[in-house]
Amino acid sequence: MKLKNCKKCNHIFVNNGQNLCPDCIEEERNNFQKIRDYLWDNPGSNINDIHQETEVPLKIIRQFLREGRFKFI
């Protein structure tokens, strides 16, 4: 069993093949779902609207955009 520090919160966890602990993975998943659901109901919203309505930090929204998690047509 190999231990690892979480890249986000620095807590120690059993290596799960990712850089985040299970709690941070769940938080990231919840933030993504909030944004996805908001965009589904409000297409064309800008980043500030998303931030205000979902309360997901701008830093996280920008990270998702850089990672290509949202595709815009």
Side-chain angles (χ1 to χ4, degrees):
M1 178 170 36
K2 188 174 181 182
L3 299 178
K4 192 173 187 178
N5 282 45
C6 178
K7 182 175 104 177
K8 184 174 179 184
C9 70
N10 209 33
H11 284 114
I12 296 173
F13 66 100
V14 176
N15 189 356
N16 59 10
Q18 297 184 344
N19 291 324
L20 301 176
C21 69
D23 292 337
C24 288
I25 290 171
E26 185 64 27
E27 180 183 354
E28 188 172 284
R29 194 173 289 138
N30 289 337
N31 284 333
F32 180 81
Q33 286 180 323
K34 283 182 196 177
I35 295 168
R36 185 196 63 203
D37 292 346
Y38 178 77
L39 287 173
W40 181 261
D41 294 333
N42 303 281
S45 297
N46 66 40
I47 193 169
N48 290 319
D49 293 338
I50 297 167
H51 165 66
Q52 289 175 351
E53 296 299 321
T54 64
E55 298 180 355
V56 174
L58 287 169
K59 181 179 178 179
I60 301 298
I61 298 169
R62 288 185 187 111
Q63 174 189 339
F64 289 161
L65 289 170
R66 278 192 306 274
E67 292 173 352
R69 291 198 177 187
F70 296 106
K71 297 187 184 195
F72 297 98
I73 298 173

